[in-house]
Amino acid sequence: MSAHVDFGRRALVLRRGRIAVRLPFRPLVVCAVLAVAIAGMAVLALMTGSYQLTPGQVLSALTGRETGIVHDVVVDWRLPRVAAALVFGAALGVSGAIFQSLLRNPLAEPGVIGFSQGSYTGALIVILLVDGTYTQLVGGALLGGMATAVAVYVLAHRRGVQGFRLIVVGIGVSAMLESLNTWLIIKADLDEAMSAAAWGAGSLNGVSWDRVVIGGACIAVLLLLAGVANRPMRQMELGDDAAASHGIRVAPVRLGLILVGVALTATVTAASGPIAFISLVAPQIARRLARTAGITLAPAALVGALLCLASDHLAQHVAPTPLPVGVITVVLGGGYLAYLLFTEVRRRP
Amino acid sequence: MNNTPVMRRGAALAAALMSASLVLTACGGDGDGTGVQAAETRSAEPAGTRSVKAENGTIEVPADPQRIVTIGNTNLPFIDLGGKPVGVTEVSDSDLAALPQDQKAVYEAAEVVGSNGGEVDLEKLAALKPDLILVQFHSSDWDKVGERLEAIAPTVLWGLDTEWKAFADAIAEAGDVADALSRQKAEFTEKVAKIQSTYGKVIGGTSFVDVSRGDWNDPGTFYIADIGCSEIARDDIGLDLPEAAEGKDPLAYESLPFEQIGELSTYDVITYPVDAEGKPTASFVPVTETNTWKALPAVTSGRALGLFCPGNNSYGPVIRYLDSLDSALATLPAAK
Amino acid sequence: MTTLTLRRDGPGAKTAPGPRRRLLGLVVALAALAALLVLSVMIGSTSIAPSAVWDALVRSSDGIDQFAVRDFRLPRTIVGLVVGVALGLSGALIQALTRNPLADPGVLGVHAGASFAVTVAVGLLGVREAQGYMWFAFAGALVVTLLVLALGSTRRGSSPVVMVLAGVCVGAVLGGAREALQLTDPDAFDMMRYWNAGSIVGRPLEVLWPILPFFAVAVILAFVVSGPLNALALGDEVAAAQGVGLARTRVLAVIALTLLAGGATAIAGPIAFVGLMVPHVARWIVGPDQRWIFAYSILLAPSLLLVSDILGRVVMRPSEIPVGVVTAFVGAPVLVALVRRRKASGL
């Protein structure tokens, strides 16, 4: 396999025998830079914490030469947390990219079809009315989210699902659930309401290896499916008719992609609560960094991972007491996207 | 422990900065960790343990715990019993403002390790090297961080629905502050008996209602307080106060619009919240300013009583509430 | 990037009803609103006999029932009317301005700004009085909307997509900061969970008076720009060719909608969905002419608000459900039914 950089066309051409893959140059560089930034951020996250450890201690803990609390802090607390931020962030980035591409709308994310509000309703009911355990909470959230997504899809279905109708129905159903959530929060005891709100903000505190491993396995399968569907998805961005003329069966592909996108978000929600905004801004930031015309999955995944990791680091250290990561993803992601918009708008004549 | 809070915090920081071997001896085995805590004047006696029954099972706690961290609603009740936690979680400004000065100082001397719910900085907590952790929060938060708390130190959990007297008993037992508890309990029993014997007749045939309004309430709404202090007036003293039907949410969760103030005219005596000086609390003033309130029979006949309720989750504030109830009942005009 | 949020109402996509039918519809809407105003004074979470209500309104007789009507129900009804008008008109303005039938004042960060400012006032500055934090809400809404407009504007004008994205970003940043404050301050959390619901209960008329002049200016501005906004709907180039001052129209429309939405939020808290749904439905009834959409929105929005508020008073007696919780439950099924019935191309 040989690779050479063709600066003239700003594309990287990979050749293997007679098969050649042309990759645009800038996105590749962006991906590489993102990967390096992620690695650096991960090392920083492993090294820092309120429990002061030297780099040497962290290293020896990682190589299994520590026991007791040092081992616990590094291997059982910090490491799964970093892994979770990476995997879940990437999943959210891809999930948002799928929805934005599918609905050709820069504001689309699984929340559009009511998943976020529905899962919060499910969780609120478990926390406030049933007083359930964490497992029940996860079950309630998934059930609520999925039921809402299905309800929106069915309500929007009338001789096929059309993007605009899906969005309007999603807005209506989400608004109703949001009202219900507000009502549940008002009617609850303050302690329970705050506990529910902290879950609703999305937190990686206390994330354990088994949650990372199970969630990661699900996400890996889903990302594989998303990768397979990448090509038809890109063609559908050009319009249903154009895609159909390339021999793509639009309806099943669209349903399949919606399922993958919702399932990615659902997995993250189950493991850590609904971490807000990554699925909305990661694809947008990725598109602007890579300067691609459409939505691309790999940069979106990397931006999502970096955003989640950096946010979680800040969430633990920026305030006197730790905050849920979702509170920071919103600030960081929203702020950065606003900055990108601002410079983009200034550049225009 | 007689060193100042600043020194203790410094000690904790120093401990955290110590090298791996020292940390290991401190937390890995059953050692007492004196090597790290140079500033501590902790006795080196071999620590015995006791078993305490709690929501998370039967827990072996140190017989004489020295470094206690309280999380969630255990903060203030433990301090009320004379406990001096090394780590606490945040409490609301209003709760803090209602504390006696000495208790406030104790709270502020402790390290804050988290906001509420499961958002606890576990590493900071571990760096404090507690020998006992007392927790009261939601079970879903426990599922989130419980296992890790137990990895740091023996941890005793109570659910949010624990009744306050049982809670005080349990905290006193786990936190080894039973002496203070028995003093407070004796005082409480005596106060209850005194109020019952003095005002027995008045209490007998009279219907009471406790109304309140919080800062959080929408403007123009109030609520009928059936939890908190008035629960004590109803269940311990025996005042005839309204109560939510079995299995229903407390009445206090329902915000009532001001137009329903008129319906309070069916009660003989109305009680409302006042501050330590006896003036209506700032959040309740809007109710007293309405024409409807001023026209209520209880208000016009001097049967609206202000009560001071500094807290209802431990004996200290409850005793202060009973004092206020005692002097308020004394002002009631003779029965109709 | 083609975006669905940008799909505009092509004039003539659907034949608009004639002026007579539109006028008739307006009269019907006005009658419905009048009936609801009466009902809102008659019905409450306490039962007061109609004769006592009548008594309270026409005679100055005193009594607990009369006080209840005069001091609480009447002001509440007036506040509902004014807030409803402001919400409906601001929604119609933003949808015309961004040419986006799914925009509501919330996209420009009005609620986020107000809510953040109130949280700061309550959590950090210790403000506890409604009359105090109301001004924070108003100022927060104005400042944030201006910020969003600044972010979303190019030197040549503003692009609706960028403006909406900017609104979402600024809203998110403020929302996150607000949540961080709330989660570390139980007092602020407790207060904000009620404020966030949006309610018109217990606002004395003294709260309304200082905001009314702003509303009056805004309503006049709205009708001044309604004609130019019609031209704008055909595209910037067409509008410019017709001699419409693009920048001036946009600036005036933005001032009007910010005052309306900011004022309504200051009084009642964030009541979502009314500003989104009512102009949307008005457009379905009367077609693309902004003047008619504005007129209908002014009548339909307070009706939706009052119906919701009356329902909120009676369904869970003796307690009430805040109107902001009810509006979506009343409005959303209507919206879903309409979007299913209409052919999407007719939007």
Side-chain angles (χ1 to χ4, degrees), chain B residues 1-15 18 33-43 67:
Chain B
M1 245 181 301
N2 53 6
N3 37 6
T4 67
V6 181
M7 282 170 69
R8 265 197 284 139
R9 227 181 284 185
L13 190 64
M18 284 291 156
T34 43
V36 186
Q37 293 144 14
E40 301 292 332
T41 51
R42 212 173 127 182
S43 66
R67 300 183 59 78

Side-chain angles (χ1 to χ4, degrees), chain A residues 50-51 78 134 187 203 207, chain B residues 23 119 121 123 143 148:
Chain A
S50 321
Y51 200 96
R78 289 185 190 170
Y134 194 84
K187 299 306 286 177
S203 169
V207 97
Chain B
V23 173
E119 289 304 309
D121 189 338
E123 294 192 17
D143 295 337
R148 293 187 182 177

Side-chain angles (χ1 to χ4, degrees), chain A residues 103-107 154-158 162-165 167-169 171-173 175-177 179-180 182-183 185-190 193-194 197-198 200-201 237 277 280-281 284 287-288 321-324 327 330-331 333-335 337-338 341-342 344-349, chain C residues 1-5 7 101-102 150-156 159 161-162 164-166 168-173 175-177 179-180 182-186 189-190 193-194 196-197 273 276 280 316 319-322 324-326 328-329 332-333 335-336 339-342 344 347:
Chain A
L103 298 175
R104 287 169 236 145
N105 185 321
L107 298 179
V154 168
L155 280 174
H157 192 96
R158 192 162 176 271
Q162 187 257 353
F164 184 78
R165 198 161 54 217
I167 292 178
V168 176
V169 172
I171 287 176
V173 172
M176 287 175 75
L177 289 174
S179 292
L180 184 62
T182 309
W183 178 240
I185 288 272
I186 289 183
K187 299 306 286 177
D189 172 67
L190 179 61
M194 287 196 80
E237 269 177 40
F277 217 57
L280 196 147
V281 299
Q284 291 290 316
R287 193 175 64 78
R288 282 173 171 76
T321 58
L323 294 168
V327 168
V330 170
V331 175
L337 184 55
L341 281 175
F342 188 69
E344 191 172 282
V345 162
R346 292 298 127 183
R347 259 205 315 277
R348 280 186 205 152
Chain C
M1 188 171 20
T2 51
T3 64
L4 282 163
T5 45
R7 193 182 211 112
L102 294 181
L151 276 177
S153 303
T154 57
R155 263 168 251 153
R156 274 176 55 222
S159 135
V161 197
V162 178
V164 169
L165 262 178
V168 171
C169 291
V170 172
V173 172
E179 213 168 346
Q182 281 179 24
L183 286 175
T184 51
D185 183 348
F189 180 90
D190 209 4
R193 65 179 169 146
Y194 286 90
N196 272 333
F273 207 65
L276 179 131
H280 210 71
M316 296 211 36
S319 76
E320 296 190 347
I321 306 174
V325 172
V326 187
F329 272 87
L335 189 71
V336 170
V339 79
R340 277 181 64 81
R341 200 165 54 89
R342 300 271 163 174
L347 280 168

Side-chain angles (χ1 to χ4, degrees), chain B residues 223-227 242-245 248-256:
Chain B
Y223 64 92
I224 292 179
D226 59 338
I227 50 175
E243 187 176 8
K248 285 278 168 64
D249 273 345
L251 302 173
Y253 288 8
E254 313 275 6
S255 289
L256 304 174

Side-chain angles (χ1 to χ4, degrees), chain B residues 37-334:
Chain B
Q37 293 144 14
E40 301 292 332
T41 51
R42 212 173 127 182
S43 66
E45 62 172 354
T49 60
R50 294 169 294 128
S51 339
V52 177
K53 273 202 170 55
E55 199 130 317
N56 56 334
T58 303
I59 313 296
E60 291 292 315
V61 303
D64 179 23
Q66 295 299 314
R67 300 183 59 78
I68 298 180
V69 172
T70 54
I71 292 175
N73 294 340
T74 53
N75 295 315
L76 299 184
F78 180 63
I79 293 176
D80 185 48
L81 285 165
K84 293 191 168 42
V86 293
V88 292
T89 52
E90 285 188 357
V91 302
S92 74
D93 295 343
S94 50
D95 285 346
L96 211 51
L99 283 188
Q101 274 310 317
D102 53 332
Q103 294 190 15
K104 200 174 167 189
V106 169
Y107 175 82
E108 281 167 352
E111 191 79 28
V112 176
V113 296
S115 43
N116 46 69
E119 289 304 309
V120 178
D121 189 338
L122 293 162
E123 294 192 17
K124 201 173 182 182
L125 210 168
L128 285 174
K129 305 194 182 313
D131 53 8
L132 178 62
I133 305 175
L134 305 177
V135 186
Q136 185 189 40
F137 57 27
H138 196 270
S139 54
S140 69
D141 291 320
W142 174 258
D143 295 337
K144 217 160 82 176
V145 294
E147 218 167 273
R148 293 187 182 177
L149 293 176
E150 285 173 331
I152 297 172
T155 305
V156 186
L157 167 79
W158 295 280
L160 283 175
D161 52 357
T162 314
E163 198 258 338
W164 72 276
K165 284 182 197 161
F167 190 44
D169 288 347
I171 289 185
E173 189 197 353
D176 192 29
V177 281
D179 292 352
L181 178 72
S182 49
R183 272 200 309 279
Q184 288 185 343
K185 269 181 151 170
E187 196 181 348
F188 173 79
T189 319
E190 183 195 326
K191 290 243 147 82
V192 168
K194 186 201 160 207
I195 293 177
Q196 281 172 336
S197 65
T198 316
Y199 308 106
K201 274 191 188 144
V202 184
I203 294 170
T206 311
S207 63
F208 288 80
V209 65
D210 188 34
V211 294
S212 188
R213 187 174 177 280
D215 283 331
W216 65 88
N217 274 111
D218 261 325
T221 60
F222 72 107
Y223 64 92
I224 292 179
D226 59 338
I227 50 175
C229 283
S230 68
E231 200 174 346
I232 293 156
R234 185 183 63 225
D235 298 344
D236 291 295
I237 308 284
L239 295 192
D240 173 19
L241 281 156
E243 187 176 8
E246 189 72 31
K248 285 278 168 64
D249 273 345
L251 302 173
Y253 288 8
E254 313 275 6
S255 289
L256 304 174
F258 278 1
E259 73 170 71
Q260 291 188 26
I261 294 175
E263 311 207 333
L264 300 176
S265 57
T266 53
Y267 298 97
D268 299 327
V269 176
I270 300 174
T271 61
Y272 62 91
V274 295
D275 56 22
E277 281 83 48
K279 294 197 192 69
T281 55
S283 50
F284 193 73
V285 167
V287 177
T288 63
E289 284 172 346
T290 62
N291 290 321
T292 323
W293 172 267
K294 290 174 191 158
L296 284 174
V299 175
T300 52
S301 67
R303 290 164 196 278
L305 310 178
L307 295 179
F308 175 54
C309 170
N312 63 301
N313 211 19
S314 55
Y315 282 99
V318 166
I319 288 167
R320 290 162 78 196
Y321 167 72
L322 290 180
D323 286 338
S324 153
L325 181 63
D326 186 358
S327 44
L329 287 174
T331 67
L332 262 192

Side-chain angles (χ1 to χ4, degrees), chain A residues 206-241:
Chain A
V207 97
S208 58
W209 271 120
D210 48 344
R211 269 198 261 160
V212 176
V213 169
I214 297 171
C218 295
I219 288 169
V221 172
L222 292 166
L223 287 183
L224 211 63
L225 288 174
V228 170
N230 193 21
R231 186 188 266 283
M233 189 177 91
R234 296 296 296 279
Q235 269 159 350
M236 276 161 64
E237 269 177 40
L238 303 173
D240 291 358
D241 298 340

